[in-house]
Every structure is written in structure tokens, then in C-alpha cells.
Amino acid sequence: DSLSVTSVCCSQAEFNGNPDSLFFNDGKRRIDFVLVYEDESKNASEKKGSQRRREFFEGSLMNLGVELEATQSVMDEKLVYVKVHMPFEVLCTYAEVLHIKLPIQPNDLAQQSSAYNCFTRHFYPSEDVIAKEPDFFTAPFRKDQLKCFCVKDREQFFTPAVRSRMAYYILSRAPYDIKGSVKKFGISKLLDGGVYKAAYPLHDSRFNVKSKEPDCPNERFLLYNEWAHPKSFYKMQPLDLIRKYFGEKIGIYFAWLGFYTVMLTLAAAVGLGCFIYGYTTRESSTWSKEVCDPQIGGEIIMCPQCDQICPYWRLNTTCESSKRLCIFDNYGTLVFAIFMSVWVTLFLEFWKRYQAELEHDWDTVEFLQQEEQLRPEYEAKCVYERVNPVTQEKENVPHTACGKCMRVSCGISTVLFWVLLIIASVVGVIVYRLAMFINFSAKLRTDLKYTKELEPFKEYVTPQMATSITASIISLIIIMILNNFYEKVAIWITDFELPRTKTEYENSLTLKMFLFQFVNYYSSCFYIAFFKGKVVGYPGQPVYWFGAFRNEECDPGGCLTELTTQLSIIMTGKAVWNNIQEVLLPWVKNLIFRHCTQVGSEKVIPRWEQDYQLQPIGKLGLFYEYLEMVIQFGFVTLFVASFPLAPLLALFNNLCEIRVDAWKFTTQSRRVVPEKAQDIGAWQPILQGVAILAVATNAAIIAFTSDMIPRLVYYWAISVSPHSDGSNHTMTGFINSSLSVFNITDFNGNSNPNVDTLFWYRDFRNPPNHPNQYEYSIHYWHVIAAKLAFMIVVEHIVYFTKFMLSYMIPDVPEALKEQIKRERYLTQVILHETNIKHFKELMKPVADNLQDEIEESELNLRL
């Protein structure tokens, strides 16, 4: 019998034929959680061990007051569904343990409306469809003060999300085995061991069809139609309903993502304007005119860019790449980089204010650290004693001070090893670039010339461009591969460290993963921006890698174009890959599962079996969603000076990301266990750190990667007396000024291309026959001084502006502070008055008895 395993502990029931039911067969007890196991009779020993642990576990649940009901699967006779119900007394007990805030009286104070809400309220779903949540004064629940709370209906007093949260708390701590003094407990271990196949709370309805149950709120149906459906792409998110259905943790994530997307519209608009400005002025740029002019660029013969096989080339062959460079390397980019430094400060500061409003509206203002419970994995390992430094009482901990130091050291060493592995992969890509550049230089031009179909692309596909594109694609592939390996390593290290609470666990994992991802995603960009083409020597004495590969130079149009190519490929490839993972894979898995478990059309499938067909949410939940967005935030801010269209790409991606994540949570995934959260956690300081670093990187890109500073030095200093005969500032002649001359008689044997002429190369060096020939000229030191001065001045101005903005914009609006204090005071008054009233009710019989006794004694005295 499939139900014989659970018959010892829980009641058995046949499915009543109602596919929308969220209750036990009696129609009264709500299902708060579902456990699924497979009654496998092929392996008797395995079955016996799993059965014993399952019976022990379910017996522990019933000893805690939890009610269970088992039902055999309609679709697969091997599966058994154990439905979990939390009676009201058990809910009250654990509501007090978890410090859950519950309503005591309707809040009649006028609500504060922020400027952000005033702007976005016109895009929210109609209140006729999604009703506004009522506002209450709340207080942490206490079982002995039950009369203080608004208990109109015991079944509705605790919302389904809160009930599921408390049910999961019990499931995570119920024991399933005891061996000597060692107690094993937690549903997570049973799931990992295969004792149970799944554990999840129920969705309240199908996502595309309303439930026929009379009291069902159909929140999943509303979320799909007003939030996840593509037709709602222009609407603001119903955050209150998201929070109510999925919990505060998911609510705060979607609130942050929505706010970030709204702020990106401003950055994208300015970035698009900067791009249009560069595109329309690329033809009129003095730089591109001189490069493309046959009388100027056509007469300048440039040095070979590799040894032996690379030919001389004329400067005007880079005409198109010079025009592309002018699109991004212009004064508009400088303005946009400064704007983005201010934008990121405004984004973070206004997010803090909006987050404070959400904390107030969702009642997480006083969500203190001590309210968070210990992780079951931590509790299970507590075998050592120590004296708590705060309470001065003995408590159990999982490791000694020496053991903790050893675990942390192991974690740091592993992270450093993987970071070095990434750096090694970047070096490998650099070697690929050096080797393939020689190959492309020798064959690419010839192949394009003699292939008629590709001849129109001859002017656009240069050896540098081909090398850059292929290297960027390889970098993206390496990034994705290393990500998959390191994720498992980071989780293992964090599990080994045994963090105390789930917040500490997530913060520790966040720091490890972000450090790795930072190096993994941005290392190639940092190389192109700040290292490539900086130490190449000069034609007579080039610099070699490993004594064999000549260090690569920048594209004739500059390294900025290559950095733009790298950013666009990684950002686009990462977005496409993530969307494939988030959309296609869950959909295909669900499709295959439904196909493999098809039943006859005459069978009715219950709600719990419909949800079992969906994909489970991973243990880390929203971690990867945050990580994806923070990495994107880094691309938008750290290198925006080289790619003004990055905010626009991010905006398009986020508009899709919101609806894709919403679709995934509402249609493809089982309902998540609701969790309490006050803010976005460790991601907030990470965002602030990225914002600070972005000022330095963008200033360095403009100063050292682009040609803006050399052009400014030439315009204001070199183009006029005493360095030139002219008296007016001009850009005419900048090309000749930015190039140096080399004499082929000074070639060494390894680099001599056997051509008898003078040629030019990009650098500021003294010409041949100069007393200090081929050493850096005075022009070079002028440019370096200007670059350093630019970085220092711009950094200080921007950092000062950021500091002033942060100081002037308070994290919590003053009106909100006053309202929080007022509500806290009124809550205390209400609780005090309710307690006094309750005390009077309790004392009234005693007072009446005393009054009767006094009156009787007075009557006796008179007699």
C-alpha cells in the first residue's frame, strides 16, 4: 500500500475531485505546505531507512501540534503528497517566536506621498482590479495579548504567506533522527537525502484561470494579468500585492529593479543624445578629416604592427575606424561621464529614501537582527560551549575560535586561487590576441581582396577589428564557463564557514561571488582600457611577451573603439544567455515533465500536483537575480565613458527582465517560501563601492584611453606660439603632432621589414638624429602632466559633488520620520489602553465579589 508509510503518523484521504481546493478533504483546514515523497519498493534497505526517518519526522511535526493528511497521486501511483496544516494555536505560538507584526487597529493617519509615487501612480493597475491594501497599526504578536489584535476571523488573521513562513520554520527544525547525543533535523537534509522529493507552499490558483473556490483571492491570476503578462509592460509593478503573495524579500527586489529601471530612462536618454551628437559630428571632426584626406593621411606611411610579415600601411586606410572613434571620443562623452557620476549618486540616495518608504509601508522598520533565527545547519553543529560576551551566559557554538579562523582562512585562500585563475585566463586571451593578430595581418587582407563576396567589407574588417571581436567572444565563453565552476566552489566554501543566520550566509556568499564576478567580467575591459598599447616600446625596440610575442598596439583608431566593442559583446551576450537560462530552460523542463506525466483527459489534477509539475526555486533564491543586475550596473557605470549606449542597452534588458522574472515566478516556478527583508542587504554597500570606483575609472578612460587630453593640449598649447607659428588656437596639424618619425636604418634584425624609407608611428618621441633620439619628447611630458591634472581635478570635483549630494539628501524623509514616531506612539497608547481594558475585565468579577462581601459585612454590623 502506497500510504502505509504515512499511516503511522498522519491521516489518509482520497482526492475529493476539486482541482482548486486549498484545504484538507474536510474543506476547513487550510493547506499551508506540501511534502512529496516517492514510495519506492525496489530497494528494500533504502526504503526502510527513508521510511524510518520520514515516520520520525512526521511524528515530530505532529508532536508540535501540526496536522498532516496524506493523499496518493492522481498522476503517478508511486507519489504521495503529505499536506501540512497549522492550527490556530500553533500559529499563535510561532508568530510570537518569530516576532511577526500583526494588526491591532486601522491606521487613520494621512499617508505621505513621495514625488516618485506622484509621478508613477498613473501607471499603476486600476484599484478596481487590485484593491489597495488596508493600513493598520501593528505590533509584534504576543499570545497572552491576543485580545489586543484585530482577530475578526481566525482563519483570515494570518495571511497564507505568513502561514507558509511559519510552517517552513517548523519544517526546518523538526528532528528526523537521534543518534546518541546527536540530533538530526530539517527538511533541507531530507530533501538532499531523497527522503522527500519536494516541499513547497501552494499557489492559490492557476495563473491563467480564476479559481472556482468562493473565498479564493486569485492573487496569482491577478499578478499574471497585471504584472507578468507582456501586455502590462508599460505598467508599474503592483508591489504591495507582490509583497503580500511572495513576501518582503522578493518585493524589495522587484521594487529595486523597478526603481533602477525608471532611473535608467534618464541616463539612457542623455547617453543616446551623446551618441547622436558624436554620430552627427564624426564627419566634421578635424581628426577624421585629416586622417581621411589623401593629401594628409594618404601621404603618411605608418610602421608595420608586427614583425617580418606585416606591411607598411597608409594612415588613410583607417578612415572608417577614425570616424567610428569620433562617435565615442568627443566632448559630449566627457559631459556624459560626469553626468553619470552624479546620476549614480542620485540613484543610490533616492533609492534609500524610497526604500525607507517601503520599510514603513511594509512594516519592516523595526526588523532587527536579533529577530532573525539561527540557520538549522548552524544549530545542528553547535557542539562547543562559550560565554556570550553580551549576556555573559553559556551558549553553544559550532566551532572554536581557532576552528573559525581556519575556516575563514580556507575560504580566503580558495577565493584568491580562483581570482588568480581568472587572471591566468586573461593572460591566455592576451596571448591569443598576439598570435591571431599576426595571422590576421598576414592573411585577412589577401582573403578579403580575392573573395568578391567579402570585398565590400575590406575597409571595415581590419586585423585589429577581427582580433578584437574573436577575442571578445572567447572571453565571454571563458567567463560563462568559469562562472559555472566557481558558483559551486563559492557555495561549498560558505557552507564550510557555517554562517550563523541566513542573512550572514547570503552576505558572505555575496561578497565571494561578487569579488569573483568582478574580476571575471571586468578584467578584460580593464586590460583594454588601461594596459593595452601602453608599453609597446617603439619600432626599433618593441616589447615582447615571453620573448616571442610582440606586445599588441591599439587599433589605429585608438583603444577606445576596441573597449566599446568588448563592452557591447559582453553586455549583449550576457543578457541573451541569461534570458535563455531564465525563460527557455524552465519552460522546456516543465514541458518535458508534463509530457512524461500525461494522464487521461478525464482525470482531474489537484492543486498540489499541478504545483509539483513546476520548477523549484533554488536554495539561493534571488541571489543570482541581484548578481546579474549588479554586474550590469558595473558595466553601466564603470566604463560608460567609452560606451554611452550602455544605459540604453541596460534599459531594454531591464524592461524585459522585470516581465521575464515575473513570468518565471508566477507561471513556471513553485511558490517561494516568503521571507522577511528590510533592504537589499549586502548589495547596497557593493553598489556604493562600484559608484565610487566608477569616478576613477571613467576619469582614467578619458585621460589615458581616449585622445581627448592630447587634443586639448595641442589646441591650447601646441598649436600656438612658441610651439607653432600660428597665433590662433586650431586643431589643424594635430595628426602630425601626435605621430613620431622612425628611420629604417635603426631597425634591429628581428623587426626589419627591408623597406628603404622613413615611416611614422603613434607616440610622442624625439625624431632620428636628435641628441636624445627615440626618447620621450617634451610634448609627451606635457600630455602626461595634463592627463594627471585632469584626473585629479575631475575626481575631486565629482567626489565633492557626490559628497554634497549625499549630505543634502537625507536617507529618510523628515515627514516620514515624524509619521513613524507618531505611529509608534499611537501603537503604544493603543496597546496600553487595551491592556488596561483587558485588566479591568479580568478584575471585574473580583471587584464585584469584594463589593458584595463589603456590603454583606456592613449589613451584619448594622444588625
Side-chain angles (χ1 to χ4, degrees):
D1 188 345
S2 298
L3 297 179
S4 61
V5 173
T6 58
S7 60
V8 176
C9 296
C10 60
S11 61
Q12 305 174 32
E14 296 294 332
F15 173 49
N16 60 12
N18 184 358
D20 295 326
S21 177
L22 302 175
F23 296 86
F24 280 16
N25 268 15
D26 57 16
K28 296 179 180 179
R29 291 175 291 173
R30 174 180 288 273
I31 301 172
D32 298 314
F33 229 86
V34 175
L35 307 176
V36 186
Y37 72 89
E38 184 176 356
D39 185 12
E40 185 62 62
S41 57
K42 294 181 179 179
N43 190 333
S45 60
E46 183 179 348
K47 176 188 175 185
K48 186 175 179 181
S50 298
Q51 176 180 342
R52 181 179 58 81
R53 283 179 286 177
R54 186 161 51 245
E55 287 181 352
F56 194 108
F57 182 72
E58 292 173 3
S60 301
L61 292 176
M62 296 188 73
N63 290 336
L64 293 171
V66 177
E67 297 178 3
L68 307 176
E69 182 180 82
T71 301
Q72 192 171 358
S73 171
V74 174
M75 302 171 62
D76 186 350
E77 292 183 355
K78 292 181 180 180
L79 293 180
V80 178
Y81 294 85
V82 181
K83 294 163 283 184
V84 179
H85 170 72
M86 302 272 288
F88 186 75
E89 289 298 321
V90 178
L91 290 170
C92 290
T93 300
Y94 284 93
E96 185 171 357
V97 171
L98 295 175
H99 303 277
I100 292 176
K101 289 186 175 183
L102 292 167
I104 56 176
Q105 181 176 305
N107 187 347
D108 53 0
L109 295 177
Q111 296 295 315
Q112 298 290 334
S113 181
S114 67
Y116 176 74
N117 288 334
C118 291
F119 172 74
T120 58
R121 60 178 177 158
H122 302 291
F123 299 95
Y124 280 102
S126 171
E127 291 188 8
D128 296 333
V129 178
I130 299 180
K132 187 177 181 181
E133 291 294 319
D135 194 15
F136 289 91
F137 291 112
T138 60
F141 183 79
R142 289 184 57 182
K143 198 172 181 180
D144 59 352
Q145 294 182 343
L146 181 60
K147 290 190 176 181
C148 298
F149 295 87
C150 297
V151 188
K152 296 180 181 179
D153 182 355
R154 287 194 167 201
E155 293 302 319
Q156 301 294 330
F157 182 55
F158 296 99
T159 65
V162 172
R163 296 174 69 105
S164 299
R165 179 185 165 200
M166 288 189 281
Y168 185 73
Y169 178 84
I170 295 176
L171 292 171
S172 299
R173 285 158 178 80
Y176 63 83
D177 196 6
I178 297 178
K179 292 183 179 180
S181 60
V182 178
K183 181 187 291 185
K184 297 182 179 180
F185 54 86
I187 186 64
S188 297
K189 294 291 185 182
L190 294 176
L191 289 170
D192 294 339
V195 177
Y196 288 102
K197 294 180 69 67
Y200 52 89
L202 290 179
H203 285 295
D204 65 348
S205 66
R206 297 173 64 184
F207 70 88
N208 54 353
V209 178
K210 280 190 175 182
S211 172
K212 296 179 181 178
E213 290 289 297
D215 296 328
C216 180
N218 290 294
E219 291 173 347
R220 185 189 185 195
F221 175 80
L222 292 175
L223 285 171
Y224 174 72
N225 280 280
E226 300 297 326
W227 178 45
H229 198 281
K231 70 179 182 181
S232 303
F233 76 95
Y234 66 93
K235 293 182 180 179
M236 298 299 294
Q237 303 178 90
L239 294 176
D240 288 337
L241 185 58
I242 296 170
R243 189 267 307 183
K244 180 182 177 183
Y245 191 75
F246 291 115
E248 286 80 6
K249 192 166 189 176
I250 288 183
I252 202 72
Y253 163 73
F254 280 105
W256 177 83
L257 182 56
F259 187 83
Y260 173 43
T261 304
V262 170
M263 291 292 291
L264 269 177
T265 56
L266 177 61
V270 178
L272 181 61
C274 176
F275 174 80
I276 293 173
Y277 168 78
Y279 185 80
T280 55
T281 59
R282 72 189 191 285
E283 300 284 352
S284 59
S285 169
T286 305
W287 160 268
S288 61
K289 283 183 178 179
E290 291 190 349
V291 170
C292 298
D293 191 343
Q295 303 301 319
I296 302 177
E299 298 297 325
I300 296 177
I301 301 175
M302 301 295 292
C303 69
Q305 292 186 311
C306 65
D307 296 333
Q308 303 299 333
I309 62 175
C310 291
Y312 284 94
W313 51 280
R314 297 185 182 275
L315 184 61
N316 66 344
T317 59
T318 64
C319 177
E320 294 300 324
S321 62
S322 298
K323 290 180 180 179
R324 288 196 300 270
L325 174 65
C326 293
I327 297 176
F328 302 104
D329 191 0
N330 54 65
Y331 299 121
T333 303
L334 171 61
V335 174
F336 183 60
I338 296 174
F339 165 80
M340 285 300 294
S341 299
V342 176
W343 173 88
V344 72
T345 304
L346 293 175
F347 163 65
L348 293 175
E349 293 303 318
F350 282 120
W351 162 247
K352 291 178 187 176
R353 292 171 65 87
Y354 184 51
Q355 183 175 261
E357 294 176 8
L358 292 176
E359 290 175 16
H360 169 258
D361 294 341
W362 294 352
D363 220 3
T364 60
V365 174
E366 297 176 350
F367 178 61
L368 304 178
Q369 184 67 25
Q370 57 263 33
E371 293 181 21
E372 189 172 9
Q373 304 300 318
L374 300 178
R375 294 173 63 237
E377 295 83 356
Y378 180 91
E379 290 180 303
K381 300 287 185 179
C382 289
V383 294
Y384 299 98
E385 283 190 351
R386 72 159 190 174
V387 177
N388 189 300
V390 178
T391 62
Q392 294 298 311
E393 296 179 356
K394 288 186 177 181
E395 66 176 4
N396 291 331
V397 293
H399 39 61
T400 61
C402 181
K404 184 177 181 180
C405 181
M406 183 270 293
R407 290 169 183 266
V408 173
S409 300
C410 179
I412 294 174
S413 302
T414 307
V415 172
L416 289 177
F417 168 77
W418 277 87
V419 169
L420 292 175
L421 185 63
I422 299 170
I423 295 174
S425 70
V426 173
V427 173
V429 173
I430 294 173
V431 172
Y432 164 83
R433 300 171 72 105
L434 299 176
M436 292 307 297
F437 176 75
I438 297 174
N439 187 46
F440 284 137
S441 297
K443 298 181 179 180
L444 184 63
R445 291 290 187 183
T446 305
D447 293 343
L448 291 175
K449 183 177 180 180
Y450 292 103
T451 305
K452 293 183 178 180
E453 292 82 2
L454 300 177
E455 190 172 359
F457 301 98
K458 183 174 65 175
E459 298 299 325
Y460 302 94
V461 182
T462 62
Q464 293 88 351
M465 179 64 70
T467 304
S468 176
I469 292 175
T470 56
S472 298
I473 295 173
I474 292 174
S475 295
L476 178 63
I477 295 172
I478 292 174
I479 286 170
M480 296 303 177
I481 294 173
L482 290 177
N483 276 349
N484 291 330
F485 282 105
Y486 183 75
E487 286 172 7
K488 297 177 177 61
V489 174
I491 293 171
W492 177 81
I493 296 171
T494 311
D495 289 339
F496 180 69
E497 290 177 354
L498 271 182
R500 185 170 178 270
T501 64
K502 188 169 184 180
T503 298
E504 292 179 4
Y505 180 91
E506 291 180 349
N507 290 347
S508 177
L509 183 62
T510 296
L511 184 61
K512 293 182 184 68
M513 283 296 294
F514 179 76
L515 178 62
F516 173 82
Q517 299 275 17
F518 184 91
V519 179
N520 197 17
Y521 276 104
Y522 304 141
S523 55
S524 58
C525 296
F526 272 99
Y527 164 73
I528 294 173
F530 306 121
F531 297 101
K532 182 182 177 182
K534 301 299 186 291
V535 185
V536 295
Y538 60 93
Q541 291 186 352
V543 176
Y544 291 90
W545 279 66
F546 311 115
F549 298 102
R550 178 172 167 177
N551 198 5
E552 62 178 337
E553 302 178 21
C554 289
D555 186 275
C559 281
L560 197 66
T561 305
E562 195 167 341
L563 179 59
T564 303
T565 304
Q566 180 86 358
L567 283 170
S568 58
I569 289 177
I570 292 180
M571 280 192 71
T572 305
K574 176 177 173 294
V576 171
W577 176 249
N578 287 335
N579 284 326
I580 289 175
Q581 284 186 312
E582 293 182 12
V583 178
L584 193 59
L585 291 182
W587 180 77
V588 170
K589 287 180 180 179
N590 289 336
L591 190 66
I592 294 173
F593 187 88
R594 285 194 294 268
H595 178 74
C596 294
T597 56
Q598 280 183 347
V599 295
S601 58
E602 71 280 358
K603 290 190 177 181
V604 179
I605 304 174
R607 170 84 268 138
W608 47 87
E609 293 200 44
Q610 295 176 38
D611 284 6
Y612 179 67
Q613 296 177 9
L614 302 177
Q615 292 299 304
I617 297 294
K619 292 182 179 180
L620 297 179
L622 292 170
F623 175 81
Y624 296 109
E625 309 295 341
Y626 273 117
L627 183 62
E628 177 187 352
M629 288 296 103
V630 172
I631 293 296
Q632 181 206 87
F633 180 81
F635 282 121
V636 169
T637 55
L638 290 174
F639 306 101
V640 74
S642 65
F643 191 34
L645 291 180
L648 185 62
L649 291 180
L651 176 62
F652 289 148
N653 178 72
N654 287 9
L655 290 173
C656 296
E657 185 74 20
I658 291 174
R659 305 305 163 184
V660 165
D661 286 347
W663 175 80
K664 180 177 66 175
F665 277 111
T666 55
T667 68
Q668 302 300 307
S669 302
R670 297 170 190 162
R671 188 171 181 175
V672 299
V673 179
E675 293 183 56
K676 200 82 169 174
Q678 188 177 22
D679 49 36
I680 61 175
W683 299 109
Q684 183 76 26
I686 287 176
L687 291 173
Q688 292 173 336
V690 172
I692 293 172
L693 180 62
V695 177
T697 56
N698 283 299
I701 287 172
I702 293 173
F704 294 99
T705 309
S706 75
D707 285 330
M708 185 173 297
I709 301 303
R711 288 202 298 267
L712 290 173
V713 170
Y714 179 82
Y715 182 82
W716 292 105
I718 306 301
S719 65
V720 294
S721 178
H723 301 285
S724 177
D725 297 333
S727 57
N728 296 325
H729 298 284
T730 180
M731 286 298 298
T732 303
F734 171 71
I735 293 297
N736 287 331
S737 174
S738 63
L739 301 175
S740 299
V741 181
F742 186 81
N743 194 326
I744 55 97
T745 58
D746 297 319
F747 258 128
N748 60 34
N750 188 42
S751 299
N752 186 4
N754 301 318
V755 179
D756 187 17
T757 185
L758 294 174
F759 61 87
W760 300 73
Y761 61 98
R762 283 175 59 88
D763 211 339
F764 298 102
R765 292 181 181 269
N766 294 319
N769 303 321
H770 189 277
N772 297 316
Q773 67 174 4
Y774 304 134
E775 293 184 5
Y776 288 119
S777 65
I778 190 66
H779 189 180
Y780 170 83
W781 298 111
H782 284 167
V783 171
I784 288 295
K787 289 180 176 181
L788 294 175
F790 172 83
M791 271 203 67
I792 294 172
V793 172
V794 169
E795 279 188 355
H796 280 69
I797 291 175
V798 174
Y799 280 135
F800 178 75
T801 305
K802 288 169 66 69
F803 171 77
M804 290 302 298
L805 288 173
S806 301
Y807 178 78
M808 294 168 60
I809 303 174
D811 293 347
V812 182
E814 290 298 324
L816 183 58
K817 285 182 181 179
E818 294 176 0
Q819 186 167 357
I820 291 172
K821 291 178 182 178
R822 175 66 176 165
E823 290 182 4
R824 189 175 298 155
Y825 167 75
L826 291 177
T827 299
Q828 293 174 350
V829 170
I830 292 168
L831 286 175
H832 180 67
E833 291 178 350
T834 306
N835 286 331
I836 291 176
K837 183 179 179 181
H838 182 52
F839 179 76
K840 287 181 178 179
E841 291 176 356
L842 291 175
M843 295 301 296
K844 186 177 181 181
V846 178
D848 292 342
N849 289 336
L850 289 174
Q851 183 67 28
D852 293 340
E853 291 177 3
I854 292 172
E855 290 178 354
E856 185 177 352
S857 62
E858 289 180 351
L859 180 60
N860 291 334
L861 288 173
R862 290 176 184 175
L863 293 174

